[in-house]
Amino acid sequence: MKILVPIKSFNICSTAINNYGDDSQQNISEVEFDDEEVGNGAYRSITSLLDIIVPILATSTSPVLKIGNKINIRISGDGRNVGRKQKHVILTMCILNEGEMVLNPTHQYSICLYIGKESYDSLSTVSAIFLQELEQLKTNGYKASNNTIWPVEFFFSGDWKFVALALGINAPTSNYFCLYCDCHKD
Ligand SMILES: [Zn+2]
């Protein structure tokens, strides 16, 4: 698995990480990672995950994916507090063609995990990692090892905060607040 789906690491911009607030000198014991590890993130490629998932979905007894189907990939993410000082953000993908099976956590595949804040800057660093791969999959589809080309459509979701961050919306009270359209609040 280490060879087929390698996990690579990256560093998220340190200014986005070290902003723990005024009481950053206190509660050192609650920091669960060495300073060296803070700011580090890990990711694995969407294509390498598809290399494993698609053959399973296409060859099961009642195949979820049939030749010619479009693979609907949903990207999502969320942050959480770890102790009082650390924040972790995870990004996941799932194959929506599986229907209600995606509600099962084992059908959610993590693609990125980093220690840091849920912020526009951090997310843009992360998106830069996946940009090329997403572009490639969107434009050319996913090419399986047997040379089958599967068209890919991407979906994106998350809680309000995550979606708003990704779209660059400031607050629910701002002039252009809507996640779905460009309507003005007036
Ligand atoms: Zn709207």
Side-chain angles (χ1 to χ4, degrees):
M1 206 43 81
K2 271 182 187 167
I3 295 161
L4 294 175
V5 189
I7 296 172
K8 296 166 192 161
S9 63
F10 66 97
N11 272 293
I12 210 134
C13 166
S14 58
T15 52
I17 302 307
N18 296 328
N19 185 10
Y20 290 130
D22 296 328
D23 56 348
S24 59
Q25 297 306 311
Q26 296 164 16
N27 300 315
I28 297 293
S29 62
E30 288 197 34
V31 177
E32 294 172 16
F33 292 84
D34 298 336
D35 277 349
E36 278 177 31
E37 291 181 32
V38 172
N40 284 355
Y43 70 97
R44 47 189 191 176
S45 109
I46 295 169
T47 313
S48 71
L49 282 165
L50 290 175
D51 287 340
I52 305 292
I53 302 163
V54 171
I56 295 171
L57 295 182
T59 59
S60 55
T61 37
S62 51
V64 172
L65 292 173
K66 300 187 184 84
I67 301 291
N69 284 168
K70 193 195 283 177
I71 305 178
N72 296 319
I73 299 175
R74 187 198 71 156
I75 308 285
S76 185
D78 202 5
R80 65 162 186 172
N81 294 332
V82 179
R84 283 173 59 190
K85 295 293 160 203
Q86 293 254 329
K87 290 185 171 70
H88 289 184
V89 177
I90 192 169
L91 275 86
T92 59
M93 62 171 265
C94 68
I95 311 290
L96 289 175
N97 306 58
E98 290 191 272
E100 289 198 1
M101 287 304 287
V102 300
L103 300 176
N104 186 326
T106 58
H107 291 248
Q108 298 282 336
Y109 310 99
S110 47
I111 53 173
C112 178
L113 177 69
Y114 69 82
I115 303 168
K117 286 201 303 184
E118 226 182 323
S119 72
Y120 187 84
D121 287 340
S122 305
L123 289 175
S124 66
T125 305
V126 170
S127 70
I129 293 170
F130 289 102
L131 191 66
Q132 227 185 350
E133 189 174 31
L134 292 170
E135 193 75 52
Q136 165 78 12
L137 285 167
K138 192 185 167 197
T139 320
N140 304 323
Y142 162 67
K143 191 179 178 190
S145 56
N146 61 3
N147 287 332
T148 312
I149 307 269
W150 300 87
V152 170
E153 184 169 357
F154 283 106
F155 295 82
F156 172 69
S157 73
D159 60 14
W160 192 91
K161 187 186 174 193
F162 194 82
V163 176
L165 277 171
L167 297 179
I169 289 171
N170 291 321
T173 51
S174 57
N175 282 335
Y176 296 92
F177 65 94
C178 185
L179 299 177
Y180 303 101
C181 72
D182 294 330
C183 58
H184 191 278
K185 69 175 179 186
D186 292 337

